[in-house]
Amino acid sequence: MNVKVIVVTMVVMLATGSTYGQTKQIPAAKKRAPMARVPQDNGKLVAGMKAPVLSVEEWLSEVPDMKGKFIALDFWGPSCKPCIAGFPHINELHHKYKDQVVFIAATTDEDPGEVYSFSAGAPVEFYSMMQKAKAWEDYKIQGIPHMLLIDPAGIVRYSGNGFELSEVMLQDIIKKYGNK
């Protein structure tokens, strides 16, 4: 068979198919009622999910009064430079919102003497505790730095890098989910 004949035949077939294929009417989809938005965890604890009960192995600071307040758990490690670099921002939020939010630096069961012996970075001016590594699994922490902001009812309202939690975001969350 001649190549020209094959090409012409294919062009005719494609043109005919596209013409007839486009004339078919597709019925309009029925409108569905909006579904409730369910938090998708993707292996993480995300906003809208119930937080696990706070598990503290040892307080490295005084024990804060958490009743009726938001809890901001800042998960970090002493070898995590981005974690330490975020402390000035968290310190600032702590000083401005300490009546409404308890900021807690949460690290695993490392030697407490080593945890705060780093030479670079701002000191932690908010509350601090040690946890067993299992607690990090309960909170589904997959990497650090990571902050969870939990409302007074125990629901996660923010899950992400604490450095990215702006003052405006924090104010909005407090206004929307605080005790009324």
Side-chain angles (χ1 to χ4, degrees):
M1 242 186 154
N2 188 342
V3 175
K4 286 184 179 181
V5 173
I6 293 173
V7 171
V8 170
T9 304
M10 291 183 74
V11 168
V12 170
M13 289 174 56
L14 288 171
T16 305
S18 98
T19 301
Y20 288 109
Q22 290 181 6
T23 60
K24 184 176 178 182
Q25 295 292 324
I26 300 171
K30 293 180 181 178
K31 289 189 177 185
R32 296 182 196 177
M35 296 177 60
R37 189 167 170 255
V38 177
Q40 299 297 312
D41 71 358
N42 300 324
K44 298 178 187 177
L45 199 57
V46 297
M49 296 177 85
K50 182 79 174 163
V53 175
L54 183 62
S55 172
V56 179
E57 179 182 347
E58 176 184 357
W59 284 101
L60 302 175
S61 67
E62 64 184 88
V63 179
D65 175 15
M66 297 179 270
K67 188 175 181 177
K69 295 182 181 181
F70 286 82
I71 308 296
L73 296 174
D74 187 26
F75 294 91
W76 74 286
S79 62
C80 173
K81 291 184 185 206
C83 299
I84 296 167
F87 287 159
H89 175 67
I90 307 302
N91 287 339
E92 184 178 320
L93 292 176
H94 161 70
H95 290 295
K96 288 184 179 180
Y97 297 95
K98 63 184 170 190
D99 292 337
Q100 298 160 300
V101 182
V102 176
F103 289 89
I104 303 170
T107 192
T108 56
D109 57 351
E110 301 170 42
D111 176 17
E114 291 178 19
V115 169
Y116 293 101
S117 66
F118 52 83
S119 57
V124 174
E125 297 174 359
F126 45 102
Y127 299 98
S128 184
M129 69 175 177
M130 299 287 279
Q131 293 178 303
K132 297 236 180 250
K134 169 78 171 78
W136 282 34
E137 292 173 24
D138 294 344
Y139 284 99
K140 300 181 181 186
I141 301 304
Q142 297 177 352
I144 53 175
H146 193 88
M147 178 179 279
L148 294 173
L149 180 61
I150 303 164
D151 73 13
I155 305 298
V156 175
R157 297 301 173 191
Y158 175 82
S159 178
N161 187 328
F163 193 73
E164 294 172 354
L165 178 63
S166 71
E167 191 170 347
V168 170
M169 291 167 60
L170 183 58
Q171 289 171 353
D172 288 346
I173 291 170
I174 291 170
K175 183 178 181 181
K176 188 171 182 178
Y177 301 108
N179 287 338
K180 296 174 177 153

